[in-house]
Amino acid sequence: MFSVLFLAAAILVGETPLAPTRGTVAALSPGQIGSRGATVTFVEHEAEQARTTGQVIGPDRMFGTLPSEASGRKAVLLRRAGDYVEFTLARPANAITVRIAVPDSVDGRGLNSTIGLYANGERLSSINTTSRYGWFYGTYPFSNRPADGHARHFYDESRLLLARTLPAGSKVRLMKAAQDKADWYAIDLADFELVPPPKTPPRGALSITTFGADPTGKRDSASAIERAIATARRRGVAVWIPPGAFRADRHIIVDRVTIAGAGAWRSILRGNGVGLYGRRQPQGSRSVMLRDFAIIGEVMERVDKAQLAGIGGSIGGGSVVEDLWIQHHKVGLWIDGPIDGLVIRRNRIVDHTADGLNLRGGVTNALVEHNFVRNSGDDGLAMWSHQRLNRGNAFRNNTVIAPILANGIAIYGGADIDVSGNLVADTVTEGGGIHLGNRFDAEPLAGRIELHDNLVVRAGSYDPNWKFGVGALWFYALDHPITALITVRNAEIVDSTLPALHFIGKPITGVAFDNVRIRGTGSDPVQIQSAGAARFKAVVASETTPGVPICDRRFRVIDEGQNSGWETRC
């Protein structure tokens, strides 16, 4: 498996930088990002920009290789004892999150190992690594059988809270030593942050330990948490999750309750099937506040019929989900309508087998902002108007990096939608950066759809089924023509894998572009495979790789001026 996986990537070796590592997001500097994307508490350091004795692999966008799934399409491979990646801290830190891949087991059930964490020459700790939550095989819906081939979803995120704070300027190494038993380690990046002291409980809150919850995780605490919720509701007070790792191997229903923790690094709910769920319709749940804790599951394969979300069910009516760490579920958050008025903000949503977040069927007036999504197994953020119309929802200032399948942000039907200020990067296969589609039995797009001030980087892909490219920003009228009024303005599309803008399917009308900057494409900047019409104003392309244009003559390009760098006529 090793030789096949690295055959293409191994020859793409970069220079080893000697300068201190810079803080980035999606391998971009803060100056390149500006105000787009989520506000986060950590500083990201890309491994390929660090000092290393390992091998820089990439860049590569060939589906099924390690660098194709890496942030920035590069990583560092450590194979020999003593190989390391060394970061120089830009700010003080007492916590690290490593995005890392290690080999899978022969039976596909996963291997556990460690890698050493060193600071200024001293081994501080071992970071646990595993392949249990990655390494899918075969074709959709995928398997854990290596014999099925087509390996993917290699990386996982391991985090560690340190016993002391390392000052800015510290030299921090990830090194393969004799006690670190994996054959190899692929380091994508490390996030460093300064985790604050534990938060204090809200006044009058009831601790789940009072009801028998076990902070060591040795006993299942689900029943104790349910008793705490029931009592807190009767008394009109909050539920408190103190520091600890509490096991819960099933769903817990939440309704008209506040559940608060000491922080996402301090208070942890974990287990096989753990999740906080709203009540089923027609009741649904309302007035739910969830904040400041982690929900870490144990989902190791994708089974679409399984209900395995970190946050699930019908939660609306003024509910807020904020400052959570949600990891290792099928879906991070899956919200079923009809619900109205939900806020989801400042969450870290990582390492899932399917979507990071999905608002499905009749979700209205929901705000999703400043969430950080990485390594989802399907769409990073999605709105799906399945059987009921979603209306009035917004995705604002979110960051989505490296969804392993499909799109960074996907809007499947719905009306009056705002997608603004987001950063999307490094899509891999069968999708693009931002996607609008009348498909998957969704209620058609309607009303006004606003896409503005978004940054889409290294997105789009070669679709193995279609045998052609999918755009970084693409529109797909599969089930119905697209007739909604869609405005795309102040967008920046950088280093698209193939086309930057893409129309396909039934007729598409009502789309207007205004001030769109396209910098770098792997094919013609605009790919048209549908009838219809769109307005283009100040759409400027540069650094493109023109090929044979794909353009449907039934589509009318309405040139409103200031366009350059691409062919405005079919």
Side-chain angles (χ1 to χ4, degrees):
M1 182 183 298
F2 180 91
S3 60
V4 173
L5 185 61
F6 293 102
L7 182 62
I11 62 174
L12 300 167
V13 181
E15 296 295 324
T16 300
L18 298 179
T21 47
R22 305 187 304 269
T24 61
V25 174
L28 302 171
S29 69
Q32 292 172 294
I33 295 169
S35 61
R36 295 161 296 196
T39 299
V40 296
T41 58
F42 57 85
V43 178
E44 174 194 279
H45 294 269
E46 289 282 347
E48 67 271 15
Q49 296 178 5
R51 292 181 66 97
T52 183
T53 57
Q55 179 186 26
V56 176
I57 54 175
D60 189 0
R61 303 193 195 187
M62 183 181 294
F63 177 51
T65 66
L66 279 168
S68 73
E69 293 187 11
S71 170
R73 312 293 184 151
K74 292 182 182 181
V76 172
L77 186 64
L78 309 181
R79 296 163 61 174
R80 303 164 301 179
D83 276 352
Y84 67 83
V85 176
E86 182 177 271
F87 307 95
T88 302
L89 295 190
R91 297 202 306 241
N94 62 359
I96 179 175
T97 301
V98 181
R99 188 165 190 253
I100 188 169
V102 294
D104 200 14
S105 61
V106 174
D107 63 5
R109 298 177 65 86
L111 291 175
N112 299 326
S113 185
T114 59
I115 191 166
L117 176 69
Y118 298 77
N120 304 318
E122 173 191 0
R123 183 162 178 142
L124 298 183
S125 186
S126 296
I127 297 177
N128 293 323
T129 67
T130 187
S131 65
R132 295 175 65 219
Y133 302 106
W135 287 88
F136 301 154
Y137 303 93
T139 57
Y140 178 85
F142 320 126
S143 75
N144 272 337
R145 296 184 299 272
D148 292 339
H150 305 289
R152 72 200 70 195
H153 209 306
F154 306 114
Y155 292 91
D156 190 56
E157 304 204 2
S158 296
R159 66 178 192 168
L160 180 67
L161 185 61
L162 306 179
R164 59 185 172 91
T165 298
L166 303 176
S170 296
K171 307 293 186 182
V172 179
R173 284 188 181 184
L174 297 170
M175 187 168 75
K176 174 178 166 57
Q179 63 264 49
D180 304 315
K181 299 301 185 183
D183 289 341
W184 52 262
Y185 300 83
I187 312 294
D188 180 16
L189 54 82
D191 295 332
F192 293 94
E193 61 189 291
L194 188 61
V195 176
K199 294 179 180 290
T200 57
R203 179 176 296 180
L206 300 178
S207 173
I208 60 174
T209 56
T210 301
F211 296 83
D214 176 13
T216 71
K218 294 178 180 178
R219 292 182 286 103
D220 190 291
S221 295
S223 295
I225 296 169
E226 289 171 336
R227 290 193 295 271
I229 290 172
T231 304
R233 283 186 57 189
R234 289 196 301 270
R235 297 184 186 178
V237 297
V239 172
W240 171 244
I241 304 176
F246 300 88
R247 188 162 196 88
D249 290 321
R250 56 183 169 85
H251 299 168
I252 295 170
I253 302 299
V254 292
D255 182 23
R256 291 170 290 167
V257 67
T258 292
I259 303 178
W265 284 82
R266 312 282 186 178
S267 302
I268 303 165
L269 301 180
R270 66 185 320 141
N272 184 10
V274 65
L276 301 181
Y277 272 64
R279 296 188 184 278
R280 292 180 179 273
Q281 293 294 346
Q283 300 124 314
S285 292
R286 58 184 176 84
S287 301
V288 174
M289 166 68 79
L290 306 174
R291 68 171 189 261
D292 297 313
F293 56 92
I295 309 174
I296 300 179
E298 297 178 3
V299 175
M300 293 178 283
E301 59 185 332
R302 178 166 176 167
V303 180
D304 280 353
K305 64 181 180 181
Q307 298 296 310
L308 292 171
I311 305 290
S314 296
I315 302 176
S319 296
V320 178
V321 178
E322 64 184 13
D323 297 312
L324 302 186
W325 182 298
I326 307 174
Q327 185 178 19
H328 291 155
H329 304 275
K330 188 184 82 173
V331 176
L333 300 95
W334 183 283
I335 306 300
D336 283 318
I339 62 103
D340 182 75
L342 172 63
V343 175
I344 299 171
R345 62 192 174 205
R346 299 192 305 271
N347 302 289
R348 225 178 294 191
I349 306 165
V350 296
D351 298 335
H352 300 290
T353 65
D355 298 351
L357 174 147
N358 195 310
L359 306 180
R360 172 185 171 266
V363 175
T364 58
N365 300 312
L367 173 61
V368 177
E369 64 178 357
H370 287 287
N371 299 282
F372 184 88
V373 184
R374 189 164 56 200
N375 202 41
S376 60
D378 212 304
D379 296 320
L381 299 174
M383 301 182 199
W384 181 25
S385 290
H386 184 225
Q387 299 179 346
R388 296 185 180 90
L389 189 71
N390 289 342
R391 181 184 292 277
N393 300 320
F395 286 164
R396 295 178 186 159
N397 286 99
N398 303 284
T399 296
V400 181
I401 301 172
I404 307 307
L405 176 71
N407 307 281
I409 294 176
I411 310 299
Y412 301 117
D416 303 327
I417 294 165
D418 177 15
V419 178
S420 60
N422 301 285
L423 165 61
V424 176
D426 297 314
T427 59
V428 178
T429 188
E430 297 185 51
I434 299 178
H435 170 51
L436 273 68
N438 282 344
R439 52 193 300 222
F440 298 128
D441 196 29
E443 294 295 312
L445 292 159
R448 301 192 68 88
I449 315 294
E450 293 279 343
L451 280 65
H452 61 90
D453 298 286
N454 297 294
L455 172 60
V456 182
V457 181
R458 299 180 302 268
S461 63
Y462 175 79
D463 190 287
N465 302 303
W466 282 343
K467 310 297 184 186
F468 54 73
V470 173
L473 170 59
W474 68 299
F475 307 85
Y476 188 12
L478 176 62
D479 298 338
H480 309 276
I482 293 177
T483 59
L485 299 177
I486 301 170
T487 301
V488 181
R489 55 186 170 86
N490 301 334
E492 188 174 0
I493 304 174
V494 179
D495 196 10
S496 302
T497 298
L498 287 163
L501 307 178
H502 185 195
F503 301 81
I504 188 169
K506 293 180 169 64
I508 300 171
T509 58
V511 181
F513 298 92
D514 185 1
N515 189 29
V516 176
R517 295 292 184 265
I518 299 169
R519 181 164 57 86
T521 62
S523 67
D524 209 57
V526 182
Q527 181 170 303
I528 300 173
Q529 295 170 280
S530 72
R535 299 179 179 276
F536 296 82
K537 179 181 178 182
V539 176
V540 176
S542 62
E543 303 173 39
T544 62
T545 304
V548 177
I550 299 176
C551 192
D552 192 317
R553 293 185 179 277
R554 298 172 301 160
F555 191 95
R556 183 183 174 205
V557 174
I558 303 172
D559 185 347
E560 296 192 333
Q562 304 174 55
N563 300 299
S564 66
W566 58 285
E567 181 56 63
T568 58
R569 297 177 184 273
C570 283

